[in-house]
Amino acid sequence: MNKGKVFVSRIIFLAVITLVCSFIFMPGINAEEYNSNFDYEIESYHVNIVAHKDNTYNITESIDVYFHEYRHGIYRDIPHLFGEIRIEVSKINTYGEKAKKTWSPSNTNIRLGDADVTIIGDKKYTISYKLDMGKDQGKDIDSIYLDIIGTDWYTNIYSATFNIDVRELGDIPMDIVFHSGDYGDEDTSGGDFIVEDGIIMGRPNYVLGPYQGVTIKADMPEDTFSSAINPLDIIKVLMYSIAGFALICLIYFRSKYGLKEKPIPVVEFYP
């Protein structure tokens, strides 16, 4: 074999080796990155809750998002109604993440992200806030009744976990029911939890799909939330304020331009 053929053979051999090594040592690619039907998915969602004697809760959410497409961020809706109970949301913190908060009668909407910046790949968000549930509505029991993860996420949540610190409530009996799944789903077989040293720890045992969430209800003795007071209902305050303002205006205008008796003209006939 002449030198030219040997040289070409070596070049081909090195090219093949380089190509094989590039496949062997290239970073692994998750198939979901190319096959997902969603703009983003949530790889992990952890909720840490501290319960207080006045039926308020300090909540911190750690959300690990993977963006399949370029996006500016995510939205987080915190409802103001839980059943017939009106909830007060306060002390919202996004830990440096740019956010726009919008209040409505039904929820507080938090837009996380910058309108001038797009994101692809992994992004971690942390949100904390306080919920005031007011006086417990039960007649014979008090309850912790919370949507830990709401059913408003249109995506998959691959790992969902939560902790609820109830040590401030004391060493009291609790009847705990844990639901996960679609809105209104009462199946209790979809998750696991334990109680250890005054902390309830749990997780669903499957991937949460679109519009699926996690709810917990823990029944306790009456007066566990003995120091709870009902939060100010902004809607009722506005209604009463408008009615009061209208009444004041009516009294003012009646006093200033009140209904005065108008003289009745006497018709006289002259011969």
Side-chain angles (χ1 to χ4, degrees):
M1 183 179 292
N2 58 40
K3 292 183 179 180
K5 290 183 178 180
V6 171
F7 178 77
V8 171
S9 299
R10 288 179 177 176
I11 292 295
I12 294 173
F13 175 77
L14 290 174
V16 170
I17 292 297
T18 302
L19 184 62
V20 170
C21 288
S22 67
F23 278 106
I24 293 175
F25 297 107
M26 71 184 299
I29 298 176
N30 190 340
E32 293 165 3
E33 295 177 18
Y34 294 107
N35 297 330
S36 174
N37 295 320
F38 304 99
D39 295 335
Y40 66 87
E41 293 179 288
I42 298 175
E43 296 181 341
S44 67
Y45 196 139
H46 179 71
V47 184
N48 188 72
I49 302 171
V50 179
H52 301 289
K53 291 280 288 183
D54 58 356
N55 205 13
T56 64
Y57 303 85
N58 290 102
I59 300 176
T60 303
E61 301 181 2
S62 301
I63 309 171
D64 190 355
V65 178
Y66 188 91
F67 289 94
H68 299 291
E69 300 180 1
Y70 282 99
R71 301 274 293 189
H72 294 285
I74 61 173
Y75 290 91
R76 174 72 175 97
D77 286 326
I78 306 173
H80 293 162
L81 283 173
F82 190 74
E84 297 181 356
I85 302 171
R86 181 161 290 278
I87 302 168
E88 181 182 277
V89 181
S90 62
K91 297 183 179 180
I92 299 172
N93 190 348
T94 58
Y95 298 91
E97 185 70 34
K98 191 169 184 179
K100 180 180 179 181
K101 308 174 190 73
T102 305
W103 185 92
S104 74
S106 59
N107 63 55
T108 293
N109 175 271
I110 307 172
R111 187 184 71 185
L112 291 159
D114 191 328
D116 298 323
V117 177
T118 55
I119 307 165
I120 192 76
D122 281 308
K123 174 67 177 177
K124 291 180 172 59
Y125 298 97
T126 301
I127 311 168
S128 66
Y129 53 93
K130 182 179 180 179
L131 290 186
D132 188 344
M133 306 288 284
K135 290 185 177 180
D136 191 89
Q137 304 299 308
K139 293 182 179 180
D140 301 318
I141 57 172
D142 282 358
S143 299
I144 295 173
Y145 200 5
L146 295 170
D147 278 338
I148 297 173
I149 296 177
T151 55
D152 54 346
W153 292 99
Y154 178 63
T155 189
N156 294 321
I157 302 176
Y158 287 96
S159 174
T161 56
F162 66 87
N163 295 344
I164 306 177
D165 186 339
V166 296
R167 287 175 292 184
E168 185 179 311
L169 306 183
D171 186 14
I172 55 175
M174 288 188 175
D175 182 12
I176 301 172
V177 179
F178 171 39
H179 304 284
S180 62
D182 299 325
Y183 177 81
D185 193 341
E186 296 185 356
D187 181 19
T188 60
S189 63
D192 306 298
F193 70 88
I194 60 172
V195 181
E196 186 174 320
D197 297 328
I199 298 177
I200 305 169
M201 297 172 280
R203 64 187 306 159
N205 52 27
Y206 61 94
V207 173
L208 295 176
Y211 304 128
Q212 292 186 327
V214 175
T215 300
I216 192 167
K217 187 174 188 290
D219 291 337
M220 303 168 293
E222 178 72 1
D223 292 330
T224 299
F225 295 129
S226 56
S227 58
I229 58 173
N230 286 328
L232 197 61
D233 191 327
I234 300 299
I235 303 301
K236 289 183 179 179
V237 169
L238 289 174
M239 291 175 61
Y240 293 146
S241 298
I242 293 171
F245 179 73
L247 180 61
I248 292 171
C249 290
L250 178 62
I251 294 172
Y252 171 78
F253 283 109
R254 279 184 68 90
S255 63
K256 187 173 181 62
Y257 310 103
L259 299 176
K260 298 179 181 179
E261 293 187 3
K262 296 181 179 180
I264 301 174
V266 178
V267 179
E268 297 184 359
F269 295 93
Y270 296 94

